[in-house]
Amino acid sequence: MSGILNSSIGRKFAMALSALFLMFFLLQHFSINILSVFSPETFNDVSHFMGTFPLVQYVLQPVLIFGVVFHFVMGFVLEIKNNKARRISYAKNNGGANSSWMSRNMIWSGAAILAFVCLHFYDFWFPEINTKFIVGDMSGLVDPNNAASGYRYFEELQHKFVDLWRVVLYVVAFIFLALHLLHGFDSAFQSVGANNKYTKGLKRFSKIYAIGIPLGFIFIAVFHFLNH
């Protein structure tokens, strides 16, 4: 593994694989969260299943965390090495003429997304870990002593979007995510060699995904802010 990461091509390939993995997770995460708009009961049931199923908790969740850390660390490593590799000044090589704004600023959109991930973990993941593994409450109920109280997940989700400032932060973060994905999705496919007769279709799909998924998350946040 270390040998692969020592080469520029290997690092780009590993970066692309981690990006595709995270984009698949993002789609799955959106599929669950959008349920909160249409059916709070279904959202609660699915959230409880995902939060208590051993395969998800003890295998997929650690893999996801590793994927997030790996992707961001590798992104910063690539940026540092790319900066060191540049021997021609911008006066001689107009970056704006040779690349898009999004590709030149992936590091900044990535940093903004990383800050959002930290906020998201603070809002949802850390409290969940505390409730289940420190408090020891695996019931998922609003009141652990009252089975009729129902699952707590929908109530907790709505509570996070009561404050306007948090909704604004989420909206801004998802705008940065869209900008990041507009270049990152297409770049990831290129890095794994998906340059063939399907390229045009992949480019079209990547744009729909890069705009549609962040827009969907924005809709969820605004919907719960207006309906809490």
Side-chain angles (χ1 to χ4, degrees), residues 120-165:
H120 195 61
F121 272 29
Y122 174 81
D123 276 347
F124 293 99
W125 192 71
F126 290 147
E128 189 70 11
I129 293 298
N130 178 69
T131 299
K132 290 190 296 189
F133 298 111
I134 297 179
V135 176
D137 175 18
M138 299 292 289
S139 69
L141 297 172
V142 175
D143 180 0
N145 299 314
N146 181 12
S149 63
Y151 290 135
R152 55 182 165 78
Y153 309 102
F154 180 78
E155 182 179 311
E156 290 176 347
L157 177 66
Q158 280 205 319
H159 176 71
K160 294 302 180 183
F161 296 116
V162 170
D163 297 323
L164 177 61
W165 68 266

Side-chain angles (χ1 to χ4, degrees), residues 19-184:
L20 292 172
F21 167 73
L22 292 177
M23 284 184 280
F24 175 79
F25 162 75
L26 196 63
L27 179 60
Q28 177 262 334
H29 195 51
F30 171 74
S31 300
I32 294 174
N33 279 271
I34 194 65
L35 293 174
S36 67
V37 172
F38 301 105
S39 175
E41 294 79 12
T42 304
F43 172 76
N44 273 331
D45 290 338
V46 174
S47 296
H48 184 67
F49 172 79
M50 296 296 288
T52 56
F53 189 54
L55 178 63
V56 174
Q57 288 299 294
Y58 303 113
V59 179
L60 299 182
Q61 187 168 255
V63 170
L64 172 62
I65 294 173
F66 173 79
V68 170
V69 173
F70 179 86
H71 185 75
F72 282 107
V73 169
M74 187 56 60
F76 287 116
V77 169
L78 284 172
E79 181 68 15
I80 292 171
K81 289 188 175 293
N82 287 340
N83 286 335
K84 288 182 178 180
R86 293 188 183 107
R87 297 298 183 221
I88 302 176
S89 68
Y90 285 106
K92 296 180 180 179
N93 179 22
N94 186 353
N98 300 319
S99 59
S100 67
W101 181 90
M102 289 176 289
S103 66
R104 298 194 308 275
N105 292 277
M106 288 292 282
I107 189 66
W108 299 114
S109 60
I113 296 168
L114 178 59
F116 164 72
V117 169
C118 292
L119 171 64
H120 195 61
F121 272 29
Y122 174 81
D123 276 347
F124 293 99
W125 192 71
F126 290 147
E128 189 70 11
I129 293 298
N130 178 69
T131 299
K132 290 190 296 189
F133 298 111
I134 297 179
V135 176
D137 175 18
M138 299 292 289
S139 69
L141 297 172
V142 175
D143 180 0
N145 299 314
N146 181 12
S149 63
Y151 290 135
R152 55 182 165 78
Y153 309 102
F154 180 78
E155 182 179 311
E156 290 176 347
L157 177 66
Q158 280 205 319
H159 176 71
K160 294 302 180 183
F161 296 116
V162 170
D163 297 323
L164 177 61
W165 68 266
R166 181 178 268 104
V167 176
V168 170
L169 284 179
Y170 270 71
V171 170
V172 171
F174 284 121
I175 291 173
F176 274 108
L177 177 62
L179 293 173
H180 197 77
L181 289 172
L182 279 169
H183 173 73

